[in-house]
């Protein structure tokens, strides 16, 4: 449609404007003046402006060649019409530009689907995000605002708009799944030959998935190494990466060597013996990166890599600090004797009892040997003993007969030398009772009234003051004001029946783990102090503060030992290598980085992995099992795996749930056990391995001294089953037996002459459970499932949370995973041994779940009444000076004696027992 405009009559007659005409024809403006004809496409509207005055409007045209003309005298009505037409034309032009950009984007998005289907290439998250970012630039609101109603759109435009509004991430996901389905068939021959047995579908799909970040959560015995090796072969075969662009990372030399050997064997099976990929430890990789960037390879002493060697070296440094500084020695021993044991959550009952009294109440022992029913009281008593203060604990004094009907009161502490009384109240910082101690406020008021009535000098503290450390300052001031001088003495003789202090080796082990985690997270002393200041008010901050007081000089001594050898430790080396990559001072050729046993990654290892794949078009393939994360003492942080997406960004999470090792019944029992911790990643483990008899057996002997004989009897029984055909031979013709201990000392329970007696039929070896990970055997024997031994009660020290992003909150979380590792080493059967009245709580849990029945060695079911006080011992008949009586088998640790009514009433039995 054409539109024409002329100067108004007023402009021509009164103001003598020169005649002109302006014509809009489709998408082109034409101006005719006395000087000639001038044209301007609407796409160049930036060269057209309207200048309004009261009586007319001037039209100014500016060409790209610099030519400019002015058309004065346009009437206001015509100016409004022209402006409306220009606005509409501009909107239409913008719409066409947007539609063109949308169509180009849709073509690119469609090309990604073609890439998956036609080129058999995975559409990575990186590719998707790049296109989605372009889409945002084209249409920030992600709505096709084409400034036209659907009726105004052509068929092509309407189709473009419909495609634009499609859920493209879902379409790309579908394309990836179609690609994976097709690739299972296309690469079937490779998947069948790359390992000694064909890959499972789960393994093959993990190999095919080439997103930028892929986490594979793999069950025990599910073929993690096979998957890693197959992915390397597949990447090379499909041209995704050259051999020199592939890196496989392992956690020790043996594992790296196995990866390298397995890869070469796989390549040889495929007829490509010339392919060479690099398998390395994190240690070797860090040295390589630093050496290439700086021209100097740092020295990492062996004791800075090996966990036990590191603890031994740190023990030397601590001894030197003690010799050099009396202040350090005092602080060290104060921590061991007084603050070595963490307090339970504020207001909760005793977490780890040392025993139970005759009434069944739990107690803990003080250094001096008192049985106290509060861990806070125990802490205070130990502080007083360490400082040489003479005190009386809960010593009664008589009350008036009419005093609430009570004849005596038992104050928490009394200091007879000073005539000072001391009451400690379970109250928070606001003076409110904690949790189930709802009557504490009334009790506190009552105690205060008693002492006031008698004119006692009274000191009072609260739980909040104890945990913050203020209580110790108040106590020290009150004692000194009363004339009692503190005499701290770490070598004061301890009563034989008192609580043993935290052993030096345990505190050194805690220090080593703390240093490792702090360095992995790049937390110096200032940062640690800042984290300490941010702890919740009900946390035991005083213990954390004192630990940091020790950690600072111990860390400095550790670093000085490194400097003396011109070296760095493992964590500093890894962080330095990562810094070089992050800053661009170093680069690597690897486009595919694969990390094995990722559940044992420290934050420093994870940081290095992230730096390795930070550049575009790189891939991280991390394989592990968070259920088997058991190396926290060596710096491992299970949160790296359970929080994979938070640390590495969006990625695919796949699972290998089919195990080639354990029978299904054993998988079910072990999985149910470990997954009670809600923080563990969920998976349903499946097995096709046939069972050979019961997969779990729990056997009890009367005394600890009988465990060695019990192991011998079990070996004899296995030989008999093998010879009779009840047990088929294992690999190599012998039955492979693994004796696993929580500690090395459990090796003593293996018969010294086992080789002569059983070597013809059995292949036997011993290892700690920590050392057994990655290994397997037909039969696993666990000889030490004893309370106080397994699980270790000191597995997860809460102080480590200061040096870690997120501590673990589930009780004995790592010990639970350690037990899972022990159970899943068996291809057929696990035999567990315990002692009467000393059952491991883990064994009790399996019994309660119905996973196993507790029997004697002769196969008879154990029928015993569990002590209701300690829940570990059993009620046994004893002879005393006044005749027979019943009591807990855990005496003297548990002094519970049931009354006659309890004996005549059936007591709760062990779950799974008969009778």
């Amino acid at each position: 449609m054409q539109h024409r405009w002329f100067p108004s009559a007023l402009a021509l007659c009164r103001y003598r404007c020169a005649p002109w005409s302006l014509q809009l024809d489709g998408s082109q403006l034409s101006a005719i003046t006395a000087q000639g004809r001038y044209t301007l496409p609407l796409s160049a509207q930036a060269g057209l402006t309207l200048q309004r005055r009261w009586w007319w409007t001037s039209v100014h045209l500016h060409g790209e060649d610099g030519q400019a003309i002015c058309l004065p005298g346009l009437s206001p009505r015509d100016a409004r019409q022209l402006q409306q037409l220009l606005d509409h034309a501009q909107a239409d032009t913008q719409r066409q530009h947007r539609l063109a950009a949308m169509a180009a984007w849709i073509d690119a998005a469609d090309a990604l689907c073609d890439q998956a289907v036609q080129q058999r290439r995975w559409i990575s998250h990186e590719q998707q995000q790049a296109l989605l970012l372009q889409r945002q630039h084209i249409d920030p609101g992600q709505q096709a605002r084409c400034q036209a109603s659907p009726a105004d759109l052509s068929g092509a435009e309407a189709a473009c708009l419909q495609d634009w509004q499609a859920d493209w991430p879902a379409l790309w996901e579908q394309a990836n799944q179609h690609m994976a389905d097709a690739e299972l068939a296309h690469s079937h021959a490779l998947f069948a030959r790359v390992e000694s047995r064909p890959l499972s579908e789960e393994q093959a799909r993990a190999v095919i998935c080439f997103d930028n970040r892929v986490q594979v959560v793999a069950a025990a015995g599910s073929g993690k190494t096979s998957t890693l090796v197959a992915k390397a072969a597949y990447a090379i075969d499909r041209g995704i990466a050259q051999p020199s662009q592939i890196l496989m990372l392992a956690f020790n030399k043996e594992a790296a060597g196995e990866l390298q050997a397995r890869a070469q064997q796989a390549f040889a099976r495929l007829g490509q013996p010339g392919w060479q990929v690099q398998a390395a430890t994190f240690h070797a990789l860090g040295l390589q990166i630093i050496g290439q960037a700086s021209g100097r390879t740092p020295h990492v002493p062996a004791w800075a890599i090996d966990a036990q060697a590191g603890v031994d070296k740190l023990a030397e440094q601590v001894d030197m600090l003690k010799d050099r500084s009396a202040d350090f020695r005092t602080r060290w021993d104060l921590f061991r004797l007084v603050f070595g044991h963490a307090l339970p959550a504020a207001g909760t009952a005793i977490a780890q009892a040392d025993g139970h009294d005759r009434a069944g109440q739990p107690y803990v022992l003080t250094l001096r040997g008192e049985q106290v029913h509060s861990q806070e009281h125990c802490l205070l008593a130990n502080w007083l003993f360490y400082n040489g203060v003479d005190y009386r604990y809960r010593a009664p004094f008589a009350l008036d007969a009419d005093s609430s009907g009570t004849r005596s009161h038992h104050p928490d502490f009394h200091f007879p030398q000073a005539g000072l009384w001391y009451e400690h109240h379970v109250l928070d910082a606001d003076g409110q009772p904690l949790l189930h101690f709802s009557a504490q406020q009334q009790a506190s008021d009552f105690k205060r009234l008693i002492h006031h009535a008698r004119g006692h000098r009274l000191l009072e503290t609260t739980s909040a003051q104890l945990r913050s450390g203020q209580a110790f300052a108040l106590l020290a001031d009150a004692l000194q004001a009363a004339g009692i001088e503190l005499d701290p003495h770490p070598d004061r003789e301890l009563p034989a029946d008192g609580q043993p202090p935290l052993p030096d080796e345990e505190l050194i082990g805690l220090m080593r783990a703390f240093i490792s985690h702090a360095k992995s997270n790049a937390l110096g002393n200032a940062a640690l102090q800042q984290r300490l200041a941010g702890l919740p008010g009900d946390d035991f901050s005083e213990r954390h503060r004192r630990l940091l007081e020790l950690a600072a000089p111990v860390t400095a001594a550790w670093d000085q030992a490194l400097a003396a050898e011109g070296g760095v430790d493992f964590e500093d080396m890894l962080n330095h290598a990562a810094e070089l990559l992050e800053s661009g001072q170093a680069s690597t050729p690897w486009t595919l980085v694969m990390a094995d046993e990722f559940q044992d990654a420290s934050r420093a290892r994870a940081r290095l992995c992230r730096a390795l794949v930070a550049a575009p078009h790189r891939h991280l393939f991390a394989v592990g099992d968070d259920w088997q994360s058991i190396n926290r003492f060596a710096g491992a942080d299970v949160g790296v795996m359970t929080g994979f997406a938070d640390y590495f960004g969006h990625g695919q999470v796949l699972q290998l749930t089919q195990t080639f090792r354990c029978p299904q019944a054993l998988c079910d029992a072990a999985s149910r056990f470990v997954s009670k911790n809600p923080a563990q990643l969920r998976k349903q483990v499946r097995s096709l391995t046939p069972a050979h008899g019961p997969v779990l057996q729990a056997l009890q002997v009367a005394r600890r001294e009988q465990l060695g004989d019990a192991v011998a009897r079990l070996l004899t029984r296995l030989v008999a089953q093998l010879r009779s055909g009840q047990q088929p031979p294992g690999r190599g013709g012998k039955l492979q037996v693994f004796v696993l201990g929580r500690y090395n000392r459990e090796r003593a329970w293996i018969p010294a002459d086992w080789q002569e007696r059983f070597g013809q039929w059995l292949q036997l070896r011993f290892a700690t459970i920590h050392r057994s990970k990655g290994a397997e055997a037909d039969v696993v024997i666990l000889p030490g499932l004893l309370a106080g031994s397994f699980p270790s009660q000191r597995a997860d020290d809460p102080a480590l949370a200061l040096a870690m992003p997120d501590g673990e909150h589930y009780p004995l979380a790592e010990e639970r995973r350690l037990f899972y590792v022990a159970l899943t080493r068996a291809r057929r059967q696990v035999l567990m041994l315990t002692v009467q009245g000393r059952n491991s709580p883990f064994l009790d849990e399996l019994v309660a779940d119905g996973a196993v029945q507790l029997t004697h060695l002769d196969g008879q079911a154990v029928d015993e009444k569990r002590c209701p006080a300690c829940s570990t011992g059993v009620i046994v008949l004893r002879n005393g000076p006044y005749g027979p009586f019943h009591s807990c088998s855990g005496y003297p640790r548990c002094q519970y004696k049931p009354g006659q009514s309890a004996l005549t009433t059936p007591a709760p039995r062990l779950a799974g027992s008969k009778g």
Side-chain angles (χ1 to χ4, degrees):
M1 183 177 181
Q2 291 185 349
H3 297 273
R4 300 188 69 178
W5 297 273
F6 303 94
S8 67
L10 178 65
L12 290 171
C13 298
R14 183 171 180 176
Y15 297 103
R16 301 184 181 279
C17 289
W20 54 264
S21 69
L22 181 66
Q23 179 176 314
L24 175 61
D25 187 3
S27 61
Q28 185 166 284
L29 278 169
S30 299
I32 301 174
T33 66
Q35 288 74 32
R37 186 181 186 90
Y38 183 85
T39 61
L40 180 73
L42 283 181
S43 60
Q45 283 187 60
L48 185 151
T49 57
L50 300 180
Q51 184 178 8
R52 289 181 172 83
R53 297 183 180 179
W54 286 108
W55 52 91
W56 73 47
T57 295
S58 297
V59 180
H60 295 268
L61 301 175
H62 308 276
E64 294 181 356
D65 58 359
Q67 184 181 2
I69 63 173
C70 177
L71 308 176
L74 189 66
S75 71
R77 184 189 65 180
D78 288 347
R80 287 193 297 272
Q81 181 189 33
L82 175 60
Q83 185 65 62
Q84 290 173 355
L85 289 171
L86 291 175
D87 290 345
H88 179 77
Q90 183 179 25
D92 187 65
T93 300
Q94 291 175 348
R95 180 170 64 87
Q96 293 301 325
H97 282 315
R98 182 177 286 111
L99 284 169
M102 289 162 55
W105 186 91
I106 291 168
D107 289 342
D110 214 15
L112 279 188
C113 294
D114 290 339
Q115 167 189 310
V117 177
Q118 304 297 331
Q119 302 176 36
R120 296 159 51 196
R121 284 287 192 271
W122 190 273
I123 305 172
S124 70
H125 180 70
E126 179 182 298
Q127 293 173 305
Q128 295 183 34
Q129 288 303 113
L131 264 184
L132 291 175
L133 184 60
Q134 292 178 19
R135 184 185 194 191
Q136 181 70 18
H137 289 321
I138 293 170
D139 190 2
Q142 298 214 359
Q143 294 292 330
R145 296 186 298 274
C146 298
Q147 296 181 352
S149 65
D152 296 331
L153 298 175
S154 67
E157 290 171 338
C160 176
L161 179 59
Q162 183 178 3
D163 288 345
W164 176 262
Q165 294 173 334
D167 185 351
W168 281 99
L171 292 174
W172 292 326
E173 175 64 22
Q174 292 176 14
N176 277 336
Q177 295 309 315
H178 288 311
M179 174 266 182
D181 292 340
E183 199 65 2
L184 288 174
H186 279 298
S187 299
H188 174 75
L190 184 147
F191 295 152
R193 295 165 48 212
V194 66
E195 279 287 280
S196 57
R197 60 183 170 193
L199 298 186
S200 68
E201 182 175 334
E202 283 182 326
Q203 290 173 319
R205 287 188 180 275
V207 167
I208 292 166
C209 179
F210 257 88
D211 212 339
N212 302 102
R213 309 289 181 265
V214 178
Q215 178 187 28
V216 178
V217 183
S222 60
K224 297 188 290 292
T225 303
S226 294
T227 306
L228 288 164
V229 168
K231 194 172 187 76
Y234 174 81
I236 300 170
D237 180 73
R238 292 285 293 110
I240 299 171
Q242 297 298 316
S244 61
Q245 294 176 313
I246 297 175
L247 172 67
M248 296 192 292
L249 288 171
F251 282 76
N252 56 53
K253 288 183 179 180
E254 293 77 10
E258 181 186 357
L259 277 175
Q260 191 80 64
R262 290 276 292 274
Q264 293 311 126
Q265 292 167 6
F267 300 157
R269 289 190 198 96
L270 298 175
Q272 299 291 344
W275 288 353
Q276 292 284 335
V277 299
Q278 181 175 349
T281 63
F282 280 90
H283 170 225
L285 174 65
L287 295 178
Q288 179 180 340
I289 292 171
I290 296 172
Q292 290 175 351
S294 65
R296 176 182 172 274
T297 302
H299 168 57
V300 182
W303 51 263
I305 302 171
D306 180 79
Q308 186 56 52
V311 171
D312 295 341
K313 186 67 175 181
L314 195 62
E316 297 176 10
Q317 306 309 307
V318 169
D319 285 342
M320 286 191 292
L321 285 172
K322 290 180 182 179
D323 292 340
R324 294 172 184 169
S325 170
D327 179 66
F328 175 83
R329 184 174 184 273
T330 298
R331 292 177 185 275
W332 179 270
D333 287 324
L334 175 61
F335 191 92
R336 282 198 316 110
L337 272 70
V338 179
F339 295 94
H341 301 278
L343 291 176
T348 58
I350 291 175
Q352 298 171 15
D354 290 323
H356 294 75
D357 61 21
R358 295 185 61 177
Q361 294 300 309
Y363 63 78
V364 288
L365 292 172
T366 68
L367 290 172
R368 206 169 70 173
E370 293 106 344
Q371 297 179 5
V372 302
H373 297 282
S374 162
Q375 285 178 267
E376 293 190 0
H377 285 183
C378 181
L379 178 65
L380 290 166
N382 290 346
W383 184 88
L384 292 168
F385 177 84
Y386 175 82
N387 283 287
V389 178
D390 181 30
Y391 67 89
R392 302 292 181 267
Y393 178 73
R394 305 288 289 173
F397 61 79
L399 297 177
D400 295 336
D402 60 349
S403 179
S404 303
T406 306
R407 293 186 177 277
S408 63
H409 174 61
H410 297 256
D412 293 335
F413 295 92
H414 177 219
F415 307 106
Q417 293 178 348
L420 180 65
W421 306 83
Y422 177 26
E423 301 281 8
H424 179 71
H425 309 301
V426 188
L427 303 174
D428 64 16
D430 297 322
Q432 298 302 309
L434 293 167
L435 301 179
H436 63 269
F437 291 87
S438 57
Q440 183 64 41
Q441 182 64 63
Q442 293 180 354
S444 301
D445 293 340
F446 177 67
K447 292 177 183 179
R448 197 173 294 118
L449 286 173
I450 291 174
H451 291 290
H452 178 73
R454 292 181 167 267
H456 290 165
R457 283 195 299 166
L458 177 65
L459 171 66
E460 298 176 90
T461 60
T462 66
S463 293
Q465 292 171 332
L466 180 68
R467 292 167 186 271
S468 69
Q470 184 183 2
F472 301 104
L474 293 172
L475 187 52
D477 290 343
L479 290 172
Q480 290 175 348
I484 299 177
E485 291 298 323
L486 301 184
D487 179 26
H489 190 356
D491 295 327
R492 186 172 284 108
E493 184 177 356
L494 300 175
D497 57 351
Q499 178 195 71
L502 182 69
D504 264 304
E505 55 270 22
E506 288 197 26
L507 182 50
I508 291 168
L510 174 60
M511 281 288 160
R512 179 66 192 104
F514 190 88
I515 292 172
S516 179
H517 284 294
K519 288 197 170 193
S520 287
N521 291 288
L523 295 172
N525 191 56
L528 290 169
Q529 292 290 345
Q530 187 174 4
R531 296 188 73 161
L532 173 64
L535 288 176
D538 60 349
D539 210 328
F540 194 4
S541 58
E542 176 66 3
R543 181 174 187 267
H544 295 335
R545 183 186 68 80
R546 291 180 180 274
L547 181 74
L548 288 187
E549 284 183 345
L550 297 175
V554 171
T555 302
W558 173 267
D559 289 339
Q560 288 168 7
L562 289 168
E565 297 189 23
V568 297
D569 63 17
F570 189 49
E571 291 79 16
D572 284 341
M573 183 265 291
L574 291 180
N575 281 324
H576 186 201
E579 287 170 2
L580 291 172
L581 293 172
E582 291 162 353
S583 64
Q585 299 177 65
S587 61
T588 62
W590 303 298
T591 59
L592 172 58
V593 176
M594 297 189 285
D596 194 12
E597 301 289 355
F598 204 66
Q599 75 278 352
D600 288 329
S602 64
R603 291 280 162 169
R605 285 184 170 102
R607 179 185 178 187
L608 182 56
C609 284
R610 187 170 59 182
L612 285 168
V613 296
H617 316 305
R618 297 203 171 189
H619 304 271
L620 173 64
F621 188 72
V623 183
D625 183 8
D626 65 296
W627 292 4
Q628 298 184 70
S629 179
I630 59 174
N631 289 318
R632 188 178 184 184
F633 68 93
D637 184 351
V638 68
V640 170
M641 187 156 185
T642 56
F644 185 85
D646 295 334
Y647 197 78
F648 293 97
H650 171 85
Q652 300 285 330
V653 179
L654 308 177
Q655 291 191 343
L656 299 182
T657 61
Q658 181 178 338
T659 180
F660 301 97
R661 181 185 300 158
C662 308
Q664 187 64 54
L666 182 54
C667 292
D668 292 343
S671 299
R672 184 166 55 247
F673 176 84
V674 75
S675 59
K676 288 183 180 180
N677 180 354
Q680 305 291 167
L681 301 175
R682 299 295 168 189
K683 58 179 175 288
Q684 185 65 45
V685 182
R686 302 172 294 108
S687 175
L688 300 178
T689 303
H692 298 278
V695 298
L696 283 173
Q697 291 188 50
L699 307 161
Q700 185 186 89
V701 296
R703 299 183 305 279
R704 183 185 179 94
E705 295 76 21
Q706 296 175 336
L707 287 172
D709 179 64
V711 172
R713 291 179 63 179
L714 291 179
L715 297 177
T716 302
R717 185 180 302 174
L718 290 173
V719 170
Q721 292 173 351
L722 189 61
R723 297 183 67 178
S724 68
Q726 187 178 349
Q727 283 269 15
R731 299 170 185 175
K734 295 183 178 181
L735 197 67
Q736 295 179 322
V737 180
F738 222 159
V739 179
L740 298 182
R742 177 63 180 83
Y743 305 99
N744 268 309
R745 61 176 179 263
E746 295 170 45
R747 183 192 302 267
W749 291 326
I750 298 177
D753 59 348
W754 77 266
Q755 183 68 51
E756 292 77 15
R757 296 171 62 185
F758 312 114
Q760 180 181 354
W761 305 95
L762 306 179
Q763 179 184 328
L764 186 147
R765 52 186 171 148
F766 172 86
T768 62
I769 304 172
H770 280 100
R771 295 286 185 181
S772 73
K773 193 149 67 71
E776 59 184 48
D778 297 313
V779 178
V780 166
I781 298 176
L782 301 176
L785 285 185
L786 309 177
S789 179
F790 194 10
S792 167
Q793 297 300 304
R794 302 202 54 80
D796 301 322
D797 196 297
L800 289 179
L802 269 182
M804 300 177 70
D806 294 298
E808 293 197 80
H809 304 292
Y810 197 80
L812 299 171
E814 182 153 329
E815 289 289 293
R816 182 170 290 269
R817 293 192 293 267
L818 189 64
F819 189 49
Y820 172 82
V821 168
L823 295 177
T824 54
R825 298 311 91 196
R827 290 192 289 263
R828 300 181 186 175
Q829 186 180 51
V830 179
L831 304 174
M832 299 173 286
L833 289 171
T834 188
V835 174
Q836 183 186 44
R838 293 200 57 191
N839 288 3
S840 162
F842 285 172
L843 177 56
D844 281 346
E845 194 171 317
L846 290 181
V847 172
D849 288 343
V852 69
Q853 183 182 38
L854 189 62
T855 70
H856 299 289
L857 286 176
D858 60 7
Q860 293 297 312
V862 171
D863 185 9
E864 55 191 13
K865 299 174 182 178
R866 184 60 58 87
C867 173
C870 66
S871 300
T872 300
V874 296
I875 302 302
V876 296
L877 181 65
R878 300 178 184 275
N879 290 313
Y882 304 104
F885 66 96
H886 289 84
S887 70
C888 177
S889 62
Y891 181 86
R893 184 177 180 272
C894 180
Q895 302 171 17
Y896 176 76
K897 293 181 180 180
Q900 189 62 33
S901 60
L903 293 175
T904 57
T905 303
R909 302 183 190 278
L910 286 172
S913 64
K914 296 180 180 179

